[in-house]
Amino acid sequence: MAGPHTAMVLAAGLGKRMAPITDTMPKPLVKVAGKPLIDWGLEALENVGVERAIVNVHYLADQVDAHLAKRETPAIIISDERNELLDSAGGIINALPKIGSDPFYVVNADTFWVDGPKPNLVLLAEGWDDARMDILLMIAAKDQATGYDGRGDFHMDNDGRLRRLGIGETSPNIYAGAAVIHPRIFAGAVAGKASLNRYFDAAIATDRLYGRRMEGLWLTVGTPDAIGEAEAAIARQTVNG
């Protein structure tokens, strides 16, 4: 398919692990390599022609609003969660009237990547198969990742189909904080707090959750100490091309 023209940027989290920086600043505005985290994702969306980005806000929302007001492309639409933090899926469900009926990108505002030869959002769009998929996740391998020390997120077969890890299992496959999702997966959803993991599991149950391997470098900045590690990795990637 041609890439989605709409994206949902999840930017409402509290960022507690990033304290004390986030005592006075929302995590999406924390700078890495001189650029606020949220701008890494918005620039990636702009570079692949996304026209509209719906951004949910909650914690220190006025700061996020003021920062995003300076951006011309993609056009920013605020989804206000000041009264209640709705979690990842709840935030999307709340914004569905703004998103529309076509597949859309989802990008976490606090993780980002450095592209390889082809933009990773293009790889996602090229990998989307509407007949087989409800959700397509960008997948990083552990050797592409900086700031990650978990056991992995999914097993992925040769066709890209994903399944959960069992007890005690590990995997090199990490959900890299970007996806293409069809809004039909939320049909009948009730407004309120909900995690995307619920919908990942629903898609797994019908063999409609898939992954696409990313290229380049994936970074997650969960704590203040991780900022320097991410900046060093970006510098190495820049030097090595």
Side-chain angles (χ1 to χ4, degrees), residues 2-221:
H5 297 295
T6 298
M8 178 80 195
V9 180
L10 300 175
L14 301 176
K16 290 181 178 179
R17 293 176 59 226
M18 191 62 81
I21 298 173
T22 48
D23 290 347
T24 56
M25 174 188 294
K27 187 176 179 183
L29 299 189
V30 173
K31 289 186 177 181
V32 176
K35 187 185 302 182
L37 284 168
I38 194 169
D39 286 355
W40 285 90
L42 288 170
E43 288 181 9
L45 293 167
E46 179 183 10
N47 289 341
V48 298
V50 169
E51 298 168 358
R52 303 185 311 136
I54 295 95
V55 183
N56 65 340
V57 296
H58 172 77
Y59 178 62
L60 299 176
D62 289 349
Q63 291 187 37
V64 181
D65 285 353
H67 178 75
L68 295 179
K70 305 168 190 174
R71 176 171 287 275
E72 295 183 359
T73 55
I76 302 295
I77 301 168
I78 297 295
S79 182
D80 198 324
E81 295 180 23
R82 282 172 171 84
N83 293 333
E84 183 183 17
L85 184 59
L86 296 173
D87 206 344
S88 50
I92 293 172
I93 292 163
N94 184 57
L96 281 175
K98 299 177 176 71
I99 292 170
S101 59
D102 294 327
F104 59 100
Y105 287 119
V106 173
V107 176
N108 291 346
D110 60 353
T111 60
F112 64 103
W113 60 92
V114 178
D115 284 319
K118 181 179 287 190
N120 283 299
L121 294 179
V122 171
L123 291 177
L124 273 180
E126 290 177 348
W128 177 260
D129 183 341
D130 201 79
R132 290 191 300 149
M133 302 172 183
D134 287 326
I135 303 174
L136 177 64
L137 304 182
M138 188 167 87
I139 298 294
K142 285 185 180 179
D143 62 7
Q144 294 175 284
T146 296
Y148 180 84
D149 60 1
R151 67 187 186 109
D153 294 315
F154 298 98
H155 294 299
M156 184 164 67
D157 69 16
N158 291 335
D159 294 324
R161 190 178 291 105
L162 300 177
R163 66 176 178 86
R164 292 286 191 185
L165 305 186
I167 295 173
E169 291 185 325
T170 62
S171 167
N173 301 313
I174 309 163
Y175 169 45
V180 175
I181 298 181
H182 198 294
R184 61 179 167 237
I185 194 77
F186 302 108
V190 178
K193 292 183 179 180
S195 170
L196 268 175
N197 281 307
R198 176 190 304 180
Y199 294 91
F200 293 170
D201 289 339
I204 288 171
T206 54
D207 282 335
R208 297 184 65 82
L209 181 72
Y210 283 76
R212 179 74 183 241
R213 184 79 63 197
M214 68 165 289
E215 297 177 350
L217 180 68
W218 181 71
L219 306 105
T220 182
V221 182

